[in-house]
Amino acid sequence: MRDRLRHLALLTGALAILPFHAKADYPERPITMIVAYGVGGQTDITARSLAPFIEKHLGPGARVITVNKPGAGGEIGFAALADAKPDGYTIGFINTPTIQTIPIERRARFTLDRLTPLVNIIDDPGVLIVRNDSPYKTLADLVAHAKANPLKVSIASTGVGSDDHLAILALQRQSKAQFLHIPFTTSIDNYRAMLNGNTAASATNIAEALRGVQSDPVRVLGVMAAARSPMAPNVPTFQEQGYNIVMGSMRGLAAPQDLSDEVKTKLVDAITKAANDPGFRKIAEDTFQPLRVLDPVTFATELRAGDDDFRALWTEAPWLAR
């Protein structure tokens, strides 16, 4: 009897410490990192270049697998992230403004409140680009032609409710011009439409534009930032050209709601170290990824502030009607 009690005590003690070992061993299996957009796009490039550095800083044996779930303007991927088990084995990139605008536009399969912001990585300001042989040498040229020829100047975007689309609408309101908005589902298709001459211009982000400038005959008419970009110091801002438009896309990592504090701390630490790793920062520089690393609290605060701003904008000027 005494031996049986001793055995039971040892077994109970062993079982009691198992959960702590499990937490200490995280991650014990591969982590899925969801990208809500297609392969080769700006978010995909960031994800695939960052993943090896997250593995490095999580420790020996860690694996991070990038999985693309494009569709519905990002809703499919965002919903998959929100619906995942909050165990730290599913994380994903969330992109402004679509992470905020989709639930405003329609009854979406996710909400911002169902996500746990971890670390923001990128803050990519918007730009407007044309082909080098375009008759529009400046933003003023493009606006003037659109005002004289309503709905004849086409501008491509990466979908309704995207930062590109909202920037086009802002330019319309401020200039009184009427552009023909042509939405695409990916940033690559948006860019190629302009490059192939199917649209007059492309509203996109500076990373996409500067990669294009390296090899394609394109010209950047303006950057939608509060100050000129260090990556393109010769390109004037929209504000310098008379339009108060500051628009772009933040891209950061999040997890499902109710992630444990222990796992969140480990993920945030590894992601932050990865984003600041000299190896990743060199890749980001070479691929024109504008880094802006934000901690979870700051990231969440900016997401909520943006959500409030877009809800106010929707009340004033619902973009689906434009």
Side-chain angles (χ1 to χ4, degrees):
M1 183 66 176
R2 185 176 298 169
D3 289 342
R4 288 179 62 189
L5 289 174
R6 185 182 297 114
H7 178 73
L8 182 59
L10 289 172
L11 179 61
T12 302
L15 289 173
I17 64 172
L18 278 177
F20 298 99
H21 283 306
K23 289 178 183 176
D25 290 338
Y26 171 84
E28 297 178 302
R29 62 181 191 271
I31 296 169
T32 295
M33 181 161 63
I34 296 173
V35 172
Y37 300 94
V39 174
Q42 296 169 64
T43 308
D44 183 68
I45 290 171
T46 301
R48 293 180 188 277
S49 57
L50 183 65
F53 295 94
I54 298 176
E55 294 174 341
K56 170 184 172 181
H57 292 287
L58 275 175
R63 289 188 63 205
V64 177
I65 301 172
T66 302
V67 176
N68 298 82
K69 291 184 178 290
E75 181 176 0
I76 290 175
F78 298 151
L81 176 60
D83 291 341
K85 188 176 179 180
D87 56 6
Y89 290 99
T90 303
I91 60 176
F93 269 87
I94 56 175
N95 304 56
T96 66
T98 48
I99 194 70
Q100 298 138 323
T101 58
I102 290 174
I104 296 173
E105 296 168 5
R106 56 185 185 264
R107 188 185 296 275
R109 293 167 48 198
F110 73 93
T111 61
L112 192 57
D113 291 338
R114 293 183 57 214
L115 297 168
T116 300
L118 297 173
V119 180
N120 188 66
I121 308 296
I122 301 292
D123 196 345
D124 199 356
V127 294
L128 196 66
I129 57 177
V130 297
R131 287 172 54 100
N132 272 342
D133 59 6
S134 168
Y136 312 123
K137 305 303 180 186
T138 65
L139 182 59
D141 291 342
L142 183 139
V143 168
H145 191 80
K147 290 178 74 171
N149 301 273
L151 300 178
K152 297 298 184 182
V153 176
S154 57
I155 304 181
S157 83
T158 313
V160 173
S162 66
D163 54 317
D164 314 325
H165 180 213
L166 296 179
I168 295 168
L169 294 180
L171 183 59
Q172 284 195 154
R173 286 195 300 272
Q174 294 183 31
S175 69
K176 309 303 180 185
Q178 293 185 56
F179 300 102
L180 179 62
H181 172 227
I182 309 294
F184 290 90
T185 57
T186 71
S187 59
I188 293 176
D189 290 337
N190 169 4
Y191 178 83
R192 286 176 178 166
M194 173 276 306
L195 188 63
N196 294 335
N198 296 323
T199 62
S202 169
T204 185
N205 295 95
I206 198 167
E208 189 86 44
L210 294 183
R211 283 197 297 272
V213 167
Q214 287 187 309
S215 58
D216 300 324
V218 298
R219 179 169 59 253
V220 185
L221 297 183
V223 59
M224 305 169 198
R228 294 195 182 196
S229 169
M231 295 189 294
N234 295 326
V235 177
T237 67
F238 272 56
Q239 290 180 331
E240 289 178 79
Q241 300 177 79
Y243 300 103
N244 185 26
I245 300 175
V246 176
M247 187 70 69
S249 178
M250 291 172 62
R251 302 182 205 117
L253 282 164
Q257 185 185 27
D258 296 328
L259 182 70
S260 73
D261 289 340
E262 293 87 349
V263 172
K264 179 180 178 181
T265 297
K266 192 161 188 177
L267 276 171
V268 168
D269 180 67
I271 294 167
T272 303
K273 288 177 178 176
N276 289 304
D277 190 292
F280 172 69
R281 296 185 82 86
K282 179 63 168 63
I283 294 172
E285 179 182 353
D286 291 344
T287 52
F288 303 103
Q289 299 179 57
L291 296 177
R292 185 173 174 234
V293 182
L294 300 180
D295 64 80
V297 173
T298 306
F299 188 20
T301 299
E302 294 212 11
L303 288 171
R304 182 53 59 195
D307 187 72
D308 292 342
D309 290 344
F310 289 122
R311 288 185 184 279
L313 177 61
W314 177 263
T315 301
E316 175 189 343
W319 48 83
L320 282 182
R322 305 303 179 90

